[in-house]
Amino acid sequence: VQDYLTNGPLKGKTLVVTAGGTREALDPVRYLGNRSSGKMGIAIAKAAANAGARVELIVGSVSAELPHSDHITVTQALSTSAMAAAVSNKFQNADALIMAAAVADFRPAVLADQKIKKHGDGTLTLHLVPTEDILAKMGVQKRSGQVVIGFAAETNDLLQNANAKLQKKNADAIVANDVSEPGIGFGTDDNAVTILRPNQAPLRWSRQSKMMIAEKIVALTAKLLKVGD
Ligand code: CTP
Ligand code: CA
C-alpha cells in the first residue's frame, strides 16, 4: 500500500472532492436539507488518497464516517454558499474537482433572525430563490489542464438529462446516477452509474460497492489528467 501511495498514478496531484448534502437555513433552528449520506464522495476521497493524491475533501452534512488520513484535509461547508467559497478557494491550486455533493438548488429568500412562529390557520408558504451552481461556475473558470467531474442524480430520462448537464456545466465527465433504482444511490453502500464524456459513448458501470465505483472514478480522473494508464 505504501508503495502505491507514493508511486500511485495521482502522485503529485491535488484533487478537490465534495461530499454530503448542503443545508439552507430557514431560521436559527431550522434548515432545508437532503438525504445525502456523503458515502460516495468520501469513498472517492479515500480512493484518490490511495492513488497518491493530496485530497481537499469539502463536506456538507454527512452521516458517514469521515476519513482519517494524512493525505486528506477535511473542510466543513454546510451551506451552498460556504461550499461554493471553499471549492473556489481550493480549486485554484488543484488539478481536478469531483463534485459528489448533493447541493441544494434553492434557499429561503430570507433568513429569519428569530424562530418562525405558527400563525393563523397554521399554513406557511416559503419563498425560495436559486443557489449558485458551483459545478457550472468551476466549469467556466477551469484553466487548461484542470479537470472537472460532476454527478447527475436522475429519476427519469437518465442519459438525456445527464448529457444536458455535461454540456451546460462544461464538465469533462458526468457520473450519472439513477436514484430511483432501489439499493443504489442515496444512503446506500452500492451504486450503479453511467459515465458520460463529450463525444464519447456512454460507459455503464453496473451495481457494485461505492468504493469500487470510487476507484474507477479515480482511474478516470487520472486518465483525464493524462497520468497513469
Ligand atoms: N451542483 C452544484 N451546485 C448546485 C447544484 C448542483 O455544483 N447548486 C452539482 C452537483 O454537485 C452535481 C451536479 O451539479 O455534481 C449535478 O447536480 P444535479 O442535482 O444532478 O443537477 P442540477 O444541475 O442541480 O439540476 P436538477 O437538480 O434540476 O436536475
Ligand atoms: Ca439539483
Side-chain angles (χ1 to χ4, degrees):
V1 174
Q2 192 55 43
D3 190 54
Y4 190 60
L5 278 177
T6 45
N7 293 307
L10 290 177
K11 172 182 61 138
K13 300 292 180 188
T14 301
L15 266 58
V16 180
V17 179
T18 64
T22 59
R23 289 177 174 178
E24 302 305 324
L26 208 50
D27 70 15
V29 297
R30 302 186 180 98
Y31 58 81
L32 299 177
N34 64 67
R35 293 193 288 114
S36 172
S37 62
K39 279 180 187 163
M40 192 64 247
I42 289 169
I44 294 168
K46 287 181 182 166
N50 285 340
R54 206 168 66 75
V55 179
E56 292 287 352
L57 175 61
I58 299 169
V59 297
S61 155
V62 294
S63 52
E65 202 189 325
L66 290 173
H68 299 280
S69 160
D70 291 345
H71 302 262
I72 304 175
T73 306
V74 180
T75 303
Q76 196 177 49
L78 273 180
S79 68
T80 301
S81 75
M83 186 173 278
V87 168
S88 173
N89 174 34
K90 302 289 188 189
F91 189 49
Q92 277 177 42
N93 301 312
D95 300 287
L97 167 66
I98 304 176
M99 281 292 306
V103 182
D105 294 332
F106 305 98
R107 65 174 171 81
V110 288
L111 168 57
D113 53 10
Q114 314 251 293
K115 188 181 164 207
I116 298 167
K117 302 301 285 181
K118 288 175 285 189
H119 288 295
D121 65 1
T123 65
L124 173 68
T125 303
L126 292 176
H127 184 208
L128 304 179
V129 294
T131 55
E132 76 176 288
D133 190 320
I134 304 170
L135 180 62
K137 193 170 169 204
M138 294 302 108
V140 169
Q141 287 183 6
K142 74 181 175 194
R143 297 187 306 269
S144 148
Q146 278 186 313
V147 165
V148 168
I149 299 176
F151 274 68
E154 309 294 348
T155 56
N156 56 285
D157 304 310
L158 179 79
L159 293 185
Q160 196 187 325
N161 286 332
N163 248 315
K165 288 174 190 174
L166 179 70
Q167 290 180 22
K168 205 172 114 200
K169 299 177 191 243
N170 197 33
D172 298 290
I174 288 283
V175 181
N177 227 174
D178 184 341
V179 290
S180 69
E181 267 183 62
I184 64 159
F186 274 51
T188 61
D189 288 322
D190 285 358
N191 210 348
V193 300
T194 303
I195 305 299
L196 299 176
R197 290 170 56 194
N199 310 313
Q200 302 268 331
L203 204 59
R204 171 90 184 154
W205 296 342
S206 58
R207 180 170 174 172
Q208 55 200 293
S209 70
K210 284 186 174 171
M211 201 59 221
M212 286 180 70
I213 297 273
E215 282 167 10
K216 290 180 173 157
I217 292 171
V218 165
L220 170 71
T221 309
K223 183 174 162 176
L224 294 174
L225 287 169
K226 299 184 174 64
V227 293
D229 53 11

